[in-house]
Amino acid sequence: MSQYKVVHCNINGKNVEKAVDVRASLTDMLRNEYHLTSVKKGCEVGECGACNVLIDGEAFNSCIYLAVWAEGKHIRTLEGLAEPDGRLSDIQQAFIEETAIQCGFCTPGFIMTAVEILEANKLYTDDELRKLLSGHLCRCTGYENIFRAVKKTMYNRLGKPIDF
Amino acid sequence: MYDIKALYEAESIEHAVSLRLEHPDAQIIAGGSDVLVQIREGRRAGKELISIYMLDEMRGVSLDDDENIRIGSLTSFSHITRDPIIQKYINVLGEAVDMVGSPQIRNIGTIGGNTCNGVTSADSASTLHAWEAIVELTGKNGVRRMPIKDFYIKAGTVDIRADEGEIQTAILIPKSSYENTYGHYIKYGMRNAMEIASLGCSVNVRLSDDKKTVDRCRIAYGVAGPVPMRAPSAEAVANGENVSETLIDEFALAVLNDINPRNSWRASRDFRLHIAVQMAKRCLLESIKKAGGVIQ
Ligand SMILES: Cc1cc2nc3c(=O)[nH]c(=O)nc-3n(C[C@H](O)[C@H](O)[C@H](O)COP(=O)(O)OP(=O)(O)OC[C@H]3O[C@@H](n4cnc5c(N)ncnc54)[C@H](O)[C@@H]3O)c2cc1C
Ligand code: FES
Ligand code: FES
């Protein structure tokens, strides 16, 4: 017997509501009900970060988060980053410029963690940045370019000259 | 989709207690970072769940009337690390839980889940043992409190009376435990992120006013036995003694009288015994430094 619950939340700035199967993960809800397919299904046990989204400003692996817990929350996914006219956000642009993307599977998750990092408006050290990015696996890039893209955007936003 | 038989969402602590009494076979889910993974693995598949995750009244750190630190059981690791009360009085707890899994896991994982799972490797557990935390449970007969040492019954089993509707509502650090006390935690693992401890060691000290004598020293381990444990003979060696290098060495060797690690794929018993001594040494040294002591 399926059990459903209406979940009201704000996704990428829009108030929405839908009846959701209580057995759904937040990944299931975002992909299947709202077609936000930047939210990837990787390991589905909280280890790889491919499903990462921001909930009330903090990064969560949506694969180990019940969809019904989204009630009343503000959720942001990669789809909410670009301007309405399609212009990319600075962090997305930096990923392209630094060749921080190969297959792209890990990219949305990484970028949403980067958004949380950047919104702290702090100048993190390299070690701190590496620790903050450590909840994501990338099987392609070797991480160095991802690290550079985030670091560069952090320096740019704080108006500081960058030295790699 | 998770294989869940039914989900009951608690709307208050009292409601959670009554849901437990109504559904005796249901299991509590807090942040779900253990429970949901075990459902995926099949170990907990097909069960009824009572979710307490939405109970904001169980979140946050505060000081009670007697200045004991009160940590709501649903407080996430990242919120503990960032909390000013934690940073001021028991910074080592914030540092210890900042070594859990990854940033995303630290946003979802709760200190309640980290203790109720009864797991010896839990990164908060050795520090909570070393600071003699008090566990608060709320059930149909009201509130029950006990020292964390008594909360752990055996590996994976803690003293929560489901038949009395109990849930863990807070963890307390008494003022007498944290006053003038400084500590250090070391997690030994193969890598820095996404790693369960091969061994965890947490030490804290309170020095005399002139900083020359160890007034009180406490040490606890994770993964040195089936549940987190103190090392009483090591503590006895250090208590009341003058701060010195020899004392630190004697203290560290004495842990071998207390701990009983096992062989596992993560590390052998012998290796764990070896690093236990080194970790005790480094943790005590660091704690003494933080307390303003100087090694003679
Ligand atoms: C990828 C990954 C990496 C991890 N790395 C680490 C690590 O490095 N170190 C570490 O210590 N842990 C780690 N964990 C384990 C987990 O994140 C922690 O144990 C966490 O503290 C569990 O908290 P939770 O709220 O998510 O618990 P849940 O999964 O909700 O619950 C855990 C258990 O406690 C019970 N429970 C929870 N809260 C209560 C309560 N208030 N009252 C009564 N019963 C309760 C539940 O019934 C269940 O049995 C990791 C997990 C994942 C998925
Ligand atoms: S898919 Fe969620 S962490 Fe891997
Ligand atoms: S770009 Fe392929 S996994 Fe990261």
Side-chain angles (χ1 to χ4, degrees):
Chain A
M1 185 191 74
S2 314
Q3 188 190 346
Y4 285 86
K5 195 169 174 181
V6 179
V7 176
H8 315 75
C9 58
N10 182 293
I11 302 180
N12 294 329
K14 234 173 95 189
N15 290 326
V16 291
E17 61 171 82
K18 267 213 172 123
V20 175
D21 191 318
V22 299
R23 298 169 303 170
S25 70
L26 182 59
T27 315
D28 292 329
M29 180 178 99
L30 293 172
R31 289 181 61 89
N32 300 344
E33 308 297 331
Y34 296 100
H35 310 296
L36 297 168
T37 50
S38 76
V39 185
K40 301 297 181 207
K41 288 196 171 192
C43 65
E44 292 210 82
V45 286
E47 289 179 8
C48 74
C51 62
N52 173 51
V53 301
L54 296 189
I55 303 176
D56 293 341
E58 295 181 8
F60 285 86
N61 290 333
S62 61
C63 69
I64 50 168
Y65 195 95
L66 292 178
V68 294
W69 290 343
E71 178 65 35
K73 304 272 190 335
H74 281 76
I75 296 167
R76 287 153 73 196
T77 69
L78 185 94
E79 285 84 350
L81 291 187
E83 300 292 329
D85 65 4
R87 250 181 318 134
L88 295 181
S89 61
D90 55 354
I91 182 68
Q92 290 170 296
Q93 193 60 43
F95 265 65
I96 295 171
E97 285 163 13
E98 295 299 323
T99 328
I101 308 168
Q102 285 183 34
C103 79
F105 197 80
C106 68
T107 313
F110 255 119
I111 289 186
M112 294 319 288
T113 283
V115 169
E116 185 189 356
I117 294 172
L118 295 167
E119 288 181 356
N121 281 318
K122 275 195 230 158
L123 196 69
Y124 291 107
T125 65
D126 287 5
D127 282 350
E128 285 170 337
L129 261 193
R130 289 203 168 89
K131 186 171 177 194
L132 288 166
L133 291 168
S134 65
H136 296 271
L137 295 179
C138 175
R139 297 293 83 172
C140 304
T141 65
Y143 301 104
E144 204 48 40
N145 294 354
I146 294 173
F147 172 78
R148 288 168 68 94
V150 179
K151 183 172 171 180
K152 174 165 132 177
T153 313
M154 176 179 74
Y155 273 78
N156 282 344
R157 284 209 192 170
L158 295 168
K160 296 245 188 327
I162 182 146
D163 56 332
F164 275 117
Chain B
M1 287 292 166
Y2 287 102
D3 185 357
I4 299 171
K5 190 168 167 196
L7 179 76
Y8 314 108
E9 192 74 58
E11 279 152 23
S12 65
I13 293 174
E14 301 76 66
H15 187 216
V17 170
S18 63
L19 282 172
R20 275 215 112 168
L21 296 169
E22 247 171 81
H23 306 283
D25 294 332
Q27 306 193 355
I28 297 288
I29 176 167
S33 57
D34 287 319
V35 169
L36 292 175
V37 171
Q38 288 163 10
I39 291 174
R40 288 249 201 259
E41 287 169 350
R43 270 201 278 165
R44 286 207 196 205
K47 299 270 191 316
E48 297 170 276
L49 298 180
I50 297 168
S51 159
I52 56 171
Y53 187 68
M54 303 296 256
L55 301 182
D56 284 339
E57 59 194 298
M58 277 170 61
R59 290 201 162 82
V61 181
S62 56
L63 289 176
D64 71 12
D65 292 344
D66 299 320
E67 291 181 55
N68 305 313
I69 298 170
R70 182 186 171 85
I71 308 170
S73 292
L74 286 180
T75 313
S76 68
F77 296 128
S78 57
H79 286 216
I80 289 173
T81 303
R82 285 202 292 266
D83 187 86
I85 294 173
I86 298 289
Q87 290 177 356
K88 183 165 174 197
Y89 297 114
I90 178 169
N91 194 37
V92 56
L93 181 62
E95 290 173 352
V97 299
D98 199 38
M99 296 178 198
V100 170
S102 70
Q104 296 99 296
I105 299 297
R106 296 194 284 271
N107 284 338
I108 190 68
T110 69
I111 192 150
N114 208 225
T115 45
C116 292
N117 63 12
V119 169
T120 186
S121 60
D123 276 304
S124 67
S126 37
T127 298
L128 293 174
H129 275 74
W131 292 68
E132 296 173 273
I134 307 289
V135 173
E136 179 191 281
L137 303 156
T138 304
K140 67 172 186 195
N141 302 320
V143 166
R144 193 161 69 95
R145 287 184 175 168
M146 77 187 85
I148 190 150
K149 179 166 105 13
D150 301 335
F151 183 61
Y152 284 74
I153 296 170
K154 58 177 192 195
T157 308
V158 292
D159 183 8
I160 298 180
R161 298 179 187 157
D163 55 341
E164 294 182 11
E166 277 184 349
I167 58 167
Q168 192 204 79
T169 39
I171 290 180
L172 308 168
I173 314 288
K175 186 178 185 190
S176 57
S177 174
Y178 70 75
E179 231 178 0
N180 298 321
T181 303
Y182 300 84
H184 190 68
Y185 174 70
I186 296 177
K187 172 180 187 173
Y188 187 97
M190 298 302 158
R191 59 202 296 280
N192 290 332
M194 288 306 217
E195 172 71 328
I196 300 299
S198 302
L199 195 72
C201 176
S202 191
V203 172
N204 61 80
V205 290
R206 188 175 65 201
L207 298 181
S208 59
D209 289 343
D210 64 5
K211 313 271 184 211
K212 294 217 162 84
T213 315
V214 176
D215 201 12
R216 179 184 65 192
C217 171
R218 296 174 295 184
I219 175 169
Y221 286 97
V223 209
V227 292
M229 57 158 80
R230 294 273 287 277
S233 14
E235 294 177 5
V237 166
N239 283 333
E241 297 299 321
N242 284 339
V243 173
S244 73
E245 219 164 297
T246 333
L247 178 71
I248 294 174
D249 289 341
E250 286 170 3
F251 161 83
L253 275 177
V255 305
L256 297 175
N257 302 324
D258 299 311
I259 62 173
N260 187 22
R262 61 178 186 129
N263 284 309
S264 78
W265 63 269
R266 238 181 259 284
S268 68
R269 171 181 166 85
D270 286 345
F271 181 66
R272 286 196 168 101
L273 289 171
H274 172 74
I275 58 175
V277 173
Q278 297 308 316
M279 286 159 77
K281 203 184 272 189
R282 290 180 196 182
C283 279
L284 178 56
L285 187 62
E286 204 52 45
S287 303
I288 290 172
K289 279 191 195 155
K290 286 180 184 167
V294 188
I295 316 295
Q296 317 288 320

